[in-house]
Amino acid sequence: MSVPALATSAVTASEVMADAADGERSIVAFLCRECAYSAADAAGNARTPLPPTIRTIMVPCTGRVSPLHLLAALADGADGVYVAGCLEGQCHHRVGNFHALDRVAFVRRLLESVGVEPERAAMFTMSAADTPRFVATARGMDATISRLPRLPRS
Amino acid sequence: MPLSARGRQVAGELRGGTSGVSAGVLGCEVVRHDELCVGCGRCVSACPTGAMRQDDWFDPAQLFAAPAGTGRGVLAAALRRIARHEPTGPFRVPDRVRTFRGILFNADLCAGCGACVRACPTGAVEACPVPVGDAEGVPRATASAGARP
Amino acid sequence: MTRCGVFLCECGGNISGVLDLPALAAGGRSLDGVVNVAISQFLCGAEGRRLIEGVVADRGLDRIVIGSCSRRFQGPTFERIARDLELGENTVAFANLREGCAFIHRHEPEKAQRKAETVLATAVARAGRQRPLQPSRTFLNRSALVVGGGIGGLSAAEELAGAGIAVHLVEREQSLGGYMARLSKTFPTEDCAMCSLGPRLANAATDSRINVHTLTEVTSVSGPPGEFRVRLRHHPRFVSDLCVGCGSCTAACPVELESEFDLGVTRRKAISRPFANAVPSTFAIDNRGWAPCTSTCPAHTAAQGYIALAAEGRWADAYRVASEPNPFPSVCGRICPHECEEQCTRGRLDQPVAIAAIKRFVADQAGAAAPVEAPARRHGDRVAVVGAGPAGLTAARDLALLGYPVTVFEAQPVAGGMLRLGVPEYRLPREVVAAEVERVLAHGVELRSGQRCGRDYTVDSLLAEGYRAVLLALGLPQARLLPIEGRELSGVVGGLDLLRARALGDPVAVGSRVVVIGGGDVAVDAARTALRLGAERVTMACIEDRATLPAQPDELAEALAEGAELAPSLMPVALIGEGAVGSVRFQPCTLGEPDARGWRSPRPTEAESVELEADTVVFCVGQGLDQEALAGAAGVAVAGGQIVVDRETMMTGRRGVFAAGDAAAGGGLIAIEAIAAGARAARGIHNHLRGETLLDVWPVERERAEVPDLELCRRRTRPRQEMRVLAPEERRTSWQEVRLGFTEEEALTEARRCLSCGGCSDCRSCVAACPAGAIDLAQKPRDEELTVGAIVIATGHREFDARRKPPLGYGRYANVLTQSQLARLLSASGPTAGRLCRPSDGQVPKRVFMLQCVGSRDSTSRGNEHCSAICCLFATLHASLIRESYPDTQVTIAYTDLRMPGKGHEEYLKLVAERGVRYVRSRVGELAEEQDKSLRVRWEDTVTGGKHEELFDLVVLSTGLEASAGTTQIARVVGLQQGAAGFLKEYHPKLRPVDSQRAGIFIAGTAQGPKGIPETIAQAKAAAARVTSMLQGGMAATPVEVAFSEPGVCIGCGVCVAVCPQGAVRLVDGDRVHALVDQASCRGCGICAAECPSGAMTVGGFSDAELLAEATV
């Protein structure tokens, strides 16, 4: 099994990123289709201003997110990564969010063990109707990551 | 170590007897290659004596020792890119994380039956025959006839 | 390399107003794999569709990237376009430029632009990683299984049948109807419940598309949705389709059990029909297995049966049952060691039922008058029985009943074997034996006495003479003497010889000082006989100690009361005397460990030897075979002192020669064992003579019915009737029967102590009573396999068991009932025909107290947290009905809160309150029972704070709802989650309330949670609708966003199997063991893919490659 090769063309996405002024953070968010992405869309429809550092990716259930996804995102340019899913006990796929919570906790401990701030990885749960919570957690993560230096990578 | 009385008993009780097991596995020493381990836990389920146990702790150093191209190896590569220093000590793993747990091996409980070796899908558990004379109490062939072993 | 087309949507200015789309397009053009970028004003509209179609065709695109609103919004539109353009599934990638970019970064357009560039670039990268996916198709079987035959199940079945879907309706009780059948009226309309239910029941019975299975349970469900393989177990009702529903069987049945249908308010017979409109309308026998007495008896005598009939004074019927397996009920009622009584369930409560004594009374009372006639000869094969003891005579009778001519040869001048010649007459009068022997002979059995086998004839000669089978029932008549010094002295006699001589009337005498050696029943018989023969002092000496000696304890006690002495733990060493014996020397001993045969040998101790004076020594240390009888019986082998027989056929080593009773190996040395063996031999001989196995030699063992302690402790204790006996002083000098037997009154009283453990008592009164011959006691459970497309579970609820709240006295106080029990009393078709009577005295109560929230809204460990939704209405309904019919009766309802949601319910409450029902918001402390069985209730009014104490005639508890036992069982079989109180977990409480956690399985009614009838019917019909829409296509495409494991990559570790919440993954064999996903059951959550250590497992459209392409830049 190998990590997929990055797009290799005249202009790569990383170069696009590099154009950004130093100090600009990037956060990747994995949102479950049923609750978190739905809340995010609702926040969008309400024209709620959100930090542009956050890029959202849809997954069918937060249970799909593995430590590899989180670490690869950090390794490849993100300063922070988070997972957002259904409230505990209300996962549309029954227990996916419980798995995700444990995996995020695992990644945090892994980060800590190699000297990386564990708060760069987080998980939030919310109901699809809870737009304010999506907004609050997004802004909160942005604030947290902004306080940290950009993540150096080798 | 040589097969104990208990070990012989266990090996005899294995389903299908020991006919499927190569003679070399009986009386074997079990060696773990943690870097190949993927944490599936089949050795734990297969072990009849409880010598193999799944741990609540995970040592990140195992991750870094994993060969490139394996699942853990890819993860390690990503982690290495952002690591600030070598990984520090093992930490406790949350309950639902299945495949990132240490496997503990207690040689004192091992019966040498080889079930774990057969169960392991990645070859992280290996059985090494014990060289004659290394274990205590095994008679050593001596050059002079009549000499006490 | 993929050919990717990027399409950016202006969204009418929503996106283009914030983002510079042309610049975005320019950047997009230079991305890897992009061959075309286009902008549209409304990409989702007709114009946008035409644009995409055109570009796909012109530029030969195989991937589409859409930069537009959220994929959750218009995603399906573009996926449909891709499908229509035959690009395949999973060929469209999305960049959320609206809700995810333009809308939320309106005030930072440059940052929005940069983010849009990144989002687009990652979407293109993702498109490059997407693989088109092929949906697979599953066949959908157009049938459904509905589990539960209450109003929910019936409603679902009706709806499904109407949609043309074949229904299998499975119900574990005897009839459809469930809880609703038990109600009197329903709220708020006060309609009669059975009037509403009746048509549903009739419909289920008559609709040809609904297959009704009652007394049936689901034992396994496997396979994917659309093709569930279901296994059903049909429990026997023991009544065939010939039943006409007349009820004669019920009238004849002597066993009364608690009525489950009437919720314990009354009793019903073991053969019964729960209610008049039952579907199906036939009866069924509640057979719980063998009662412990029947199970323990070596002949499996239906003891519960004759006791049940005895309890009704039906002596002739009782005799029929008692004598069916055993022609010697009078004998056994007197001498049997009655192991059945040791096992009697009543013994766990107070004392065992006096089974043997009742049997004796029954046989003594009705045996003589019972008709007997020689049965018709059906076969010509003559059978010879050697030995007219219990084994031989039982076999003779049974063979005669099977239609064979039987001749019994007996060496002694009288028949009866040990019964006549071994057991002394003060235990078993001669007339009793003679009468029962006569009855056997009256079956047309020929007796030739005074003919000794091996001397007057042999086995060989019998066979040569033309007997087709010979049964050796020789018994063990030889008394064994110990091979010790002095045994040849005079005054030394074998116990059996002494008893036989006495029984035959031969002259027999004993000295004044008798020592009996042995500790068994023969020794006791010999000792008591010796006393009656005039001995001054009789001592029984045995190697066993007091606790372990084998004689029956009551026999030994009688012997000691008559003056015999016991000298235990002594082994005889020598008989001392000159010519005649004068004393016996004993060595004190202990018993060693049992050997392979279970025998324990004596071990001498260090103590001094003991010498007992004796002028008569009687040896009762064992019995032996008369070896001479086996002369001329070639092929008949003896081992360990008994004849060797094949256990399954009862045949010896010689073809056509059988053995049974004491003489044959196996079985204990008591009369009932010999009788059982004789019966088995008869069956074995019948099979042999007919050349095929027509009868089971050994009766098929039935499960032993156990009464749980919880049931038992609710019964009142009553002492056992004592048997009157002759006074010991009288006994010592007479041969009169010591035990005087029961009177009729005593027998009746004692028989009524029986607990009817086995349910049906096997008395067969119903068989005799049924005019249609519909009783079929041979019915066995039957398994059936079905394939159905979908399953609806409507297994209902049960009431909270109010015994978990001891202060309320339910189960202890007679006048405390539950609302459901009250419903039975108020029901016009119920046990009291609708008359409200209180249990203790049958009077109409004047003051009724109803207590709400029993077991509900209860956060203690004794109750459930939930509100049971219907209890306030239930109580209000019953209060209304009572006030209507009994205007003088006051009703008080003590409530926590009054919850009346639903249409018309609040209005109903007002109406009923106006009818004079007193509602008190309160907390109830305790109920105490008064002398007259009324109840003193203490409560605190939570509105005023005042404390009250009042007397009530009847208290009704509104017990809450919990999931039924059937619900828990089906959840385990199918693999469904249960929540608190056992209710089944729906897939999503708001969005998918009738879907279970498993695809293709739906839930409805109170199995899912507490609710009333209208809500149950609504859910049931909703579940039916779900089934209909699921099955309607005949074939279904499985969604592509499901898990899939690459066989070559999978290492077979099995982690995915363990973590899948649907159980949709299993390991299969192949080149290598690998995981296989049942795509029809998979819900696409991806937990397995995230755990997979080898990367073999992926989710369609959400592979690691696709996700990482989006996540990394």
Side-chain angles (χ1 to χ4, degrees), chain C residues 67-110:
Chain C
S68 67
C69 55
S70 164
R71 71 179 283 189
R72 287 189 76 253
F73 192 48
Q74 289 292 4
T77 307
F78 299 110
E79 283 167 354
R80 197 177 315 124
I81 294 175
R83 208 175 290 136
D84 292 345
L85 295 175
E86 290 177 9
L87 295 178
E89 302 286 332
N90 194 36
T91 50
V92 185
F94 297 89
N96 188 342
L97 299 181
R98 194 180 76 166
E99 292 89 332
C101 195
F103 276 177
I104 55 178
H105 308 311
R106 274 186 310 169
H107 304 300
E108 298 171 286
E110 289 129 26

Tab-separated table of all heavy atoms in Angstrom, chain C residues 67-110:
chain	number	residue	atom	x	y	z
C	67	GLY	N	-17.801	22.754	-9.796
C	67	GLY	CA	-17.580	23.791	-8.786
C	67	GLY	C	-18.897	24.526	-8.613
C	67	GLY	O	-19.261	25.342	-9.450
C	68	SER	N	-19.604	24.239	-7.545
C	68	SER	CA	-20.949	24.808	-7.424
C	68	SER	C	-21.347	24.876	-5.973
C	68	SER	O	-20.503	25.066	-5.091
C	68	SER	CB	-21.932	23.908	-8.183
C	68	SER	OG	-22.017	22.654	-7.508
C	69	CYS	N	-22.654	24.690	-5.720
C	69	CYS	CA	-23.142	24.627	-4.341
C	69	CYS	C	-22.702	23.302	-3.721
C	69	CYS	O	-22.044	22.487	-4.363
C	69	CYS	CB	-24.662	24.729	-4.353
C	69	CYS	SG	-25.419	23.489	-5.401
C	70	SER	N	-23.147	23.068	-2.496
C	70	SER	CA	-22.759	21.849	-1.765
C	70	SER	C	-23.242	20.593	-2.477
C	70	SER	O	-24.348	20.559	-3.006
C	70	SER	CB	-23.370	21.893	-0.360
C	70	SER	OG	-23.337	20.619	0.233
C	71	ARG	N	-22.453	19.559	-2.468
C	71	ARG	CA	-22.851	18.302	-3.101
C	71	ARG	C	-24.050	17.695	-2.402
C	71	ARG	O	-24.758	16.871	-2.983
C	71	ARG	CB	-21.701	17.300	-3.152
C	71	ARG	CG	-21.313	16.711	-1.823
C	71	ARG	CD	-20.180	15.705	-1.965
C	71	ARG	NE	-20.661	14.419	-2.491
C	71	ARG	CZ	-19.909	13.324	-2.550
C	71	ARG	NH1	-18.659	13.355	-2.120
C	71	ARG	NH2	-20.386	12.215	-3.046
C	72	ARG	N	-24.297	18.122	-1.147
C	72	ARG	CA	-25.474	17.600	-0.450
C	72	ARG	C	-26.742	18.171	-1.071
C	72	ARG	O	-27.827	17.658	-0.877
C	72	ARG	CB	-25.441	17.974	1.036
C	72	ARG	CG	-24.417	17.178	1.816
C	72	ARG	CD	-24.554	17.400	3.318
C	72	ARG	NE	-25.686	16.673	3.859
C	72	ARG	CZ	-26.806	17.232	4.249
C	72	ARG	NH1	-26.981	18.548	4.137
C	72	ARG	NH2	-27.783	16.496	4.738
C	73	PHE	N	-26.585	19.259	-1.817
C	73	PHE	CA	-27.740	19.903	-2.384
C	73	PHE	C	-27.989	19.418	-3.804
C	73	PHE	O	-28.984	18.751	-4.074
C	73	PHE	CB	-27.528	21.415	-2.322
C	73	PHE	CG	-28.758	22.202	-2.613
C	73	PHE	CD1	-29.971	21.897	-2.006
C	73	PHE	CD2	-28.741	23.258	-3.511
C	73	PHE	CE1	-31.125	22.618	-2.289
C	73	PHE	CE2	-29.882	23.991	-3.780
C	73	PHE	CZ	-31.072	23.676	-3.181
C	74	GLN	N	-27.079	19.746	-4.717
C	74	GLN	CA	-27.293	19.371	-6.107
C	74	GLN	C	-26.445	18.204	-6.553
C	74	GLN	O	-26.406	17.882	-7.741
C	74	GLN	CB	-27.010	20.573	-7.031
C	74	GLN	CG	-28.048	21.670	-6.939
C	74	GLN	CD	-29.409	21.253	-7.502
C	74	GLN	OE1	-29.604	20.111	-7.907
C	74	GLN	NE2	-30.336	22.186	-7.514
C	75	GLY	N	-25.749	17.600	-5.631
C	75	GLY	CA	-24.922	16.461	-6.017
C	75	GLY	C	-25.660	15.425	-6.834
C	75	GLY	O	-25.184	15.009	-7.900
C	76	PRO	N	-26.846	14.969	-6.359
C	76	PRO	CA	-27.572	13.947	-7.132
C	76	PRO	C	-27.876	14.368	-8.565
C	76	PRO	O	-27.908	13.536	-9.471
C	76	PRO	CB	-28.862	13.761	-6.328
C	76	PRO	CG	-28.504	14.149	-4.943
C	76	PRO	CD	-27.482	15.216	-5.073
C	77	THR	N	-28.093	15.678	-8.783
C	77	THR	CA	-28.374	16.152	-10.147
C	77	THR	C	-27.221	15.818	-11.080
C	77	THR	O	-27.409	15.273	-12.177
C	77	THR	CB	-28.571	17.679	-10.141
C	77	THR	OG1	-29.555	18.020	-9.180
C	77	THR	CG2	-28.965	18.182	-11.516
C	78	PHE	N	-26.005	16.150	-10.636
C	78	PHE	CA	-24.849	15.943	-11.506
C	78	PHE	C	-24.491	14.472	-11.601
C	78	PHE	O	-24.030	13.991	-12.645
C	78	PHE	CB	-23.671	16.785	-11.010
C	78	PHE	CG	-23.987	18.255	-11.030
C	78	PHE	CD1	-24.154	18.963	-9.852
C	78	PHE	CD2	-24.150	18.928	-12.238
C	78	PHE	CE1	-24.474	20.310	-9.861
C	78	PHE	CE2	-24.468	20.275	-12.259
C	78	PHE	CZ	-24.635	20.978	-11.068
C	79	GLU	N	-24.741	13.735	-10.517
C	79	GLU	CA	-24.471	12.294	-10.588
C	79	GLU	C	-25.423	11.629	-11.568
C	79	GLU	O	-25.051	10.701	-12.292
C	79	GLU	CB	-24.609	11.672	-9.196
C	79	GLU	CG	-23.403	11.954	-8.303
C	79	GLU	CD	-23.632	11.640	-6.831
C	79	GLU	OE1	-24.786	11.301	-6.461
C	79	GLU	OE2	-22.681	11.737	-6.063
C	80	ARG	N	-26.642	12.139	-11.628
C	80	ARG	CA	-27.606	11.583	-12.582
C	80	ARG	C	-27.161	11.886	-14.001
C	80	ARG	O	-27.260	11.054	-14.900
C	80	ARG	CB	-28.992	12.148	-12.317
C	80	ARG	CG	-30.106	11.328	-12.969
C	80	ARG	CD	-31.482	11.862	-12.641
C	80	ARG	NE	-31.614	12.194	-11.230
C	80	ARG	CZ	-31.973	13.383	-10.767
C	80	ARG	NH1	-32.284	14.364	-11.579
C	80	ARG	NH2	-32.056	13.590	-9.465
C	81	ILE	N	-26.640	13.103	-14.222
C	81	ILE	CA	-26.152	13.458	-15.564
C	81	ILE	C	-25.033	12.517	-15.967
C	81	ILE	O	-25.000	11.988	-17.082
C	81	ILE	CB	-25.670	14.925	-15.604
C	81	ILE	CG1	-26.864	15.874	-15.390
C	81	ILE	CG2	-24.982	15.224	-16.936
C	81	ILE	CD1	-26.472	17.328	-15.284
C	82	ALA	N	-24.115	12.290	-15.043
C	82	ALA	CA	-22.990	11.403	-15.359
C	82	ALA	C	-23.491	10.009	-15.684
C	82	ALA	O	-22.988	9.330	-16.588
C	82	ALA	CB	-22.010	11.363	-14.184
C	83	ARG	N	-24.510	9.562	-14.916
C	83	ARG	CA	-25.067	8.240	-15.153
C	83	ARG	C	-25.717	8.188	-16.523
C	83	ARG	O	-25.546	7.243	-17.286
C	83	ARG	CB	-26.102	7.936	-14.069
C	83	ARG	CG	-26.309	6.477	-13.736
C	83	ARG	CD	-27.271	6.317	-12.559
C	83	ARG	NE	-26.654	6.777	-11.312
C	83	ARG	CZ	-27.271	7.535	-10.402
C	83	ARG	NH1	-28.504	7.968	-10.586
C	83	ARG	NH2	-26.647	7.878	-9.294
C	84	ASP	N	-26.497	9.262	-16.834
C	84	ASP	CA	-27.189	9.294	-18.126
C	84	ASP	C	-26.191	9.340	-19.280
C	84	ASP	O	-26.445	8.800	-20.349
C	84	ASP	CB	-28.119	10.516	-18.214
C	84	ASP	CG	-29.286	10.405	-17.249
C	84	ASP	OD1	-29.528	9.285	-16.740
C	84	ASP	OD2	-29.954	11.440	-16.990
C	85	LEU	N	-25.036	10.018	-19.066
C	85	LEU	CA	-24.019	10.087	-20.112
C	85	LEU	C	-23.142	8.845	-20.113
C	85	LEU	O	-22.141	8.783	-20.828
C	85	LEU	CB	-23.151	11.343	-19.909
C	85	LEU	CG	-23.882	12.667	-20.081
C	85	LEU	CD1	-22.960	13.838	-19.749
C	85	LEU	CD2	-24.397	12.818	-21.516
C	86	GLU	N	-23.538	7.885	-19.295
C	86	GLU	CA	-22.854	6.599	-19.232
C	86	GLU	C	-21.385	6.715	-18.863
C	86	GLU	O	-20.539	5.955	-19.338
C	86	GLU	CB	-23.025	5.823	-20.541
C	86	GLU	CG	-24.465	5.373	-20.682
C	86	GLU	CD	-24.733	4.648	-21.988
C	86	GLU	OE1	-23.745	4.347	-22.694
C	86	GLU	OE2	-25.901	4.385	-22.277
C	87	LEU	N	-21.097	7.711	-17.983
C	87	LEU	CA	-19.734	7.794	-17.468
C	87	LEU	C	-19.542	6.805	-16.324
C	87	LEU	O	-18.420	6.481	-15.957
C	87	LEU	CB	-19.444	9.208	-16.957
C	87	LEU	CG	-19.444	10.294	-18.025
C	87	LEU	CD1	-19.185	11.651	-17.395
C	87	LEU	CD2	-18.393	10.010	-19.084
C	88	GLY	N	-20.663	6.351	-15.750
C	88	GLY	CA	-20.565	5.406	-14.646
C	88	GLY	C	-20.780	6.072	-13.300
C	88	GLY	O	-20.888	7.295	-13.203
C	89	GLU	N	-20.825	5.227	-12.276
C	89	GLU	CA	-20.967	5.757	-10.914
C	89	GLU	C	-19.611	6.246	-10.420
C	89	GLU	O	-18.580	5.703	-10.782
C	89	GLU	CB	-21.466	4.648	-9.975
C	89	GLU	CG	-22.779	4.030	-10.366
C	89	GLU	CD	-23.953	4.943	-10.088
C	89	GLU	OE1	-23.842	5.781	-9.153
C	89	GLU	OE2	-24.956	4.848	-10.785
C	90	ASN	N	-19.622	7.239	-9.565
C	90	ASN	CA	-18.397	7.750	-8.940
C	90	ASN	C	-17.445	8.345	-9.973
C	90	ASN	O	-16.241	8.131	-9.967
C	90	ASN	CB	-17.681	6.631	-8.140
C	90	ASN	CG	-16.632	7.207	-7.222
C	90	ASN	OD1	-16.792	8.278	-6.665
C	90	ASN	ND2	-15.521	6.496	-7.077
C	91	THR	N	-17.989	9.153	-10.900
C	91	THR	CA	-17.124	9.820	-11.875
C	91	THR	C	-17.233	11.332	-11.742
C	91	THR	O	-16.709	12.063	-12.573
C	91	THR	CB	-17.525	9.421	-13.302
C	91	THR	OG1	-18.939	9.603	-13.436
C	91	THR	CG2	-17.168	7.971	-13.579
C	92	VAL	N	-17.927	11.803	-10.723
C	92	VAL	CA	-18.094	13.248	-10.517
C	92	VAL	C	-17.434	13.647	-9.198
C	92	VAL	O	-17.626	12.976	-8.191
C	92	VAL	CB	-19.585	13.636	-10.455
C	92	VAL	CG1	-19.736	15.150	-10.363
C	92	VAL	CG2	-20.325	13.078	-11.656
C	93	ALA	N	-16.634	14.713	-9.221
C	93	ALA	CA	-16.055	15.259	-7.998
C	93	ALA	C	-16.603	16.670	-7.800
C	93	ALA	O	-16.993	17.333	-8.763
C	93	ALA	CB	-14.530	15.288	-8.077
C	94	PHE	N	-16.652	17.081	-6.544
C	94	PHE	CA	-17.307	18.351	-6.234
C	94	PHE	C	-16.388	19.313	-5.503
C	94	PHE	O	-15.625	18.914	-4.618
C	94	PHE	CB	-18.536	18.093	-5.346
C	94	PHE	CG	-19.592	17.273	-6.019
C	94	PHE	CD1	-19.565	15.889	-5.931
C	94	PHE	CD2	-20.594	17.890	-6.758
C	94	PHE	CE1	-20.527	15.128	-6.559
C	94	PHE	CE2	-21.567	17.129	-7.388
C	94	PHE	CZ	-21.542	15.745	-7.296
C	95	ALA	N	-16.483	20.570	-5.890
C	95	ALA	CA	-15.817	21.633	-5.148
C	95	ALA	C	-16.925	22.533	-4.615
C	95	ALA	O	-17.700	23.109	-5.387
C	95	ALA	CB	-14.882	22.412	-6.067
C	96	ASN	N	-17.021	22.617	-3.307
C	96	ASN	CA	-18.098	23.385	-2.692
C	96	ASN	C	-17.721	24.862	-2.692
C	96	ASN	O	-17.054	25.372	-1.790
C	96	ASN	CB	-18.324	22.874	-1.257
C	96	ASN	CG	-19.556	23.487	-0.609
C	96	ASN	OD1	-20.072	24.516	-1.066
C	96	ASN	ND2	-20.035	22.860	0.448
C	97	LEU	N	-18.143	25.552	-3.750
C	97	LEU	CA	-17.746	26.951	-3.897
C	97	LEU	C	-18.774	27.915	-3.315
C	97	LEU	O	-18.519	29.114	-3.230
C	97	LEU	CB	-17.538	27.294	-5.381
C	97	LEU	CG	-16.448	26.499	-6.101
C	97	LEU	CD1	-16.349	26.976	-7.561
C	97	LEU	CD2	-15.091	26.670	-5.400
C	98	ARG	N	-19.910	27.368	-2.941
C	98	ARG	CA	-20.962	28.277	-2.474
C	98	ARG	C	-21.060	28.273	-0.963
C	98	ARG	O	-20.517	29.139	-0.294
C	98	ARG	CB	-22.286	27.933	-3.148
C	98	ARG	CG	-23.329	29.025	-2.991
C	98	ARG	CD	-24.642	28.712	-3.655
C	98	ARG	NE	-25.422	27.744	-2.882
C	98	ARG	CZ	-26.720	27.487	-3.093
C	98	ARG	NH1	-27.367	28.111	-4.061
C	98	ARG	NH2	-27.342	26.598	-2.362
C	99	GLU	N	-21.722	27.283	-0.390
C	99	GLU	CA	-21.859	27.240	1.078
C	99	GLU	C	-20.501	27.126	1.749
C	99	GLU	O	-20.327	27.554	2.887
C	99	GLU	CB	-22.729	26.070	1.541
C	99	GLU	CG	-24.196	26.167	1.181
C	99	GLU	CD	-24.515	25.558	-0.168
C	99	GLU	OE1	-23.607	25.549	-1.041
C	99	GLU	OE2	-25.632	25.069	-0.356
C	100	GLY	N	-19.543	26.515	1.021
C	100	GLY	CA	-18.242	26.291	1.639
C	100	GLY	C	-17.228	27.378	1.321
C	100	GLY	O	-16.110	27.312	1.810
C	101	CYS	N	-17.585	28.355	0.500
C	101	CYS	CA	-16.593	29.354	0.126
C	101	CYS	C	-17.218	30.735	-0.034
C	101	CYS	O	-17.057	31.587	0.832
C	101	CYS	CB	-15.889	28.923	-1.165
C	101	CYS	SG	-14.385	29.847	-1.483
C	102	ALA	N	-17.965	30.917	-1.168
C	102	ALA	CA	-18.462	32.256	-1.467
C	102	ALA	C	-19.345	32.796	-0.336
C	102	ALA	O	-19.192	33.950	0.079
C	102	ALA	CB	-19.240	32.233	-2.776
C	103	PHE	N	-20.249	31.981	0.154
C	103	PHE	CA	-21.176	32.497	1.166
C	103	PHE	C	-20.475	32.868	2.458
C	103	PHE	O	-20.864	33.818	3.140
C	103	PHE	CB	-22.249	31.441	1.484
C	103	PHE	CG	-23.411	31.434	0.531
C	103	PHE	CD1	-24.427	30.503	0.655
C	103	PHE	CD2	-23.521	32.373	-0.492
C	103	PHE	CE1	-25.510	30.471	-0.206
C	103	PHE	CE2	-24.595	32.357	-1.363
C	103	PHE	CZ	-25.596	31.417	-1.232
C	104	ILE	N	-19.479	32.078	2.854
C	104	ILE	CA	-18.920	32.279	4.190
C	104	ILE	C	-17.693	33.172	4.195
C	104	ILE	O	-17.216	33.579	5.251
C	104	ILE	CB	-18.586	30.937	4.867
C	104	ILE	CG1	-17.651	30.081	3.998
C	104	ILE	CG2	-19.855	30.178	5.190
C	104	ILE	CD1	-17.247	28.761	4.633
C	105	HIS	N	-17.168	33.495	2.988
C	105	HIS	CA	-16.000	34.372	2.971
C	105	HIS	C	-16.278	35.610	2.135
C	105	HIS	O	-15.365	36.173	1.514
C	105	HIS	CB	-14.776	33.618	2.424
C	105	HIS	CG	-14.513	32.315	3.112
C	105	HIS	ND1	-14.474	32.189	4.482
C	105	HIS	CD2	-14.294	31.081	2.602
C	105	HIS	CE1	-14.233	30.909	4.785
C	105	HIS	NE2	-14.121	30.213	3.658
C	106	ARG	N	-17.541	36.049	2.161
C	106	ARG	CA	-17.958	37.204	1.341
C	106	ARG	C	-17.102	38.433	1.593
C	106	ARG	O	-16.839	39.228	0.700
C	106	ARG	CB	-19.414	37.574	1.671
C	106	ARG	CG	-20.422	36.800	0.879
C	106	ARG	CD	-21.811	37.302	1.125
C	106	ARG	NE	-22.117	37.416	2.549
C	106	ARG	CZ	-23.204	38.033	3.005
C	106	ARG	NH1	-24.057	38.567	2.166
C	106	ARG	NH2	-23.414	38.111	4.290
C	107	HIS	N	-16.720	38.560	2.876
C	107	HIS	CA	-16.026	39.801	3.226
C	107	HIS	C	-14.521	39.706	3.048
C	107	HIS	O	-13.791	40.648	3.346
C	107	HIS	CB	-16.355	40.175	4.673
C	107	HIS	CG	-17.841	40.281	4.893
C	107	HIS	ND1	-18.618	41.185	4.185
C	107	HIS	CD2	-18.681	39.592	5.681
C	107	HIS	CE1	-19.895	41.030	4.558
C	107	HIS	NE2	-19.957	40.075	5.462
C	108	GLU	N	-14.038	38.533	2.620
C	108	GLU	CA	-12.598	38.401	2.385
C	108	GLU	C	-12.377	37.788	1.001
C	108	GLU	O	-11.921	36.647	0.875
C	108	GLU	CB	-11.964	37.506	3.447
C	108	GLU	CG	-12.093	38.055	4.867
C	108	GLU	CD	-11.658	37.033	5.911
C	108	GLU	OE1	-12.408	36.053	6.159
C	108	GLU	OE2	-10.550	37.193	6.459
C	109	PRO	N	-12.731	38.544	-0.043
C	109	PRO	CA	-12.731	37.933	-1.387
C	109	PRO	C	-11.383	37.373	-1.832
C	109	PRO	O	-11.334	36.374	-2.526
C	109	PRO	CB	-13.186	39.058	-2.310
C	109	PRO	CG	-13.212	40.302	-1.498
C	109	PRO	CD	-13.167	39.934	-0.063
C	110	GLU	N	-10.268	37.998	-1.405
C	110	GLU	CA	-8.980	37.440	-1.858
C	110	GLU	C	-8.720	36.095	-1.211
C	110	GLU	O	-8.264	35.143	-1.855
C	110	GLU	CB	-7.836	38.373	-1.497
C	110	GLU	CG	-7.789	39.645	-2.301
C	110	GLU	CD	-7.690	40.856	-1.379
C	110	GLU	OE1	-7.179	40.663	-0.253
C	110	GLU	OE2	-8.132	41.937	-1.793
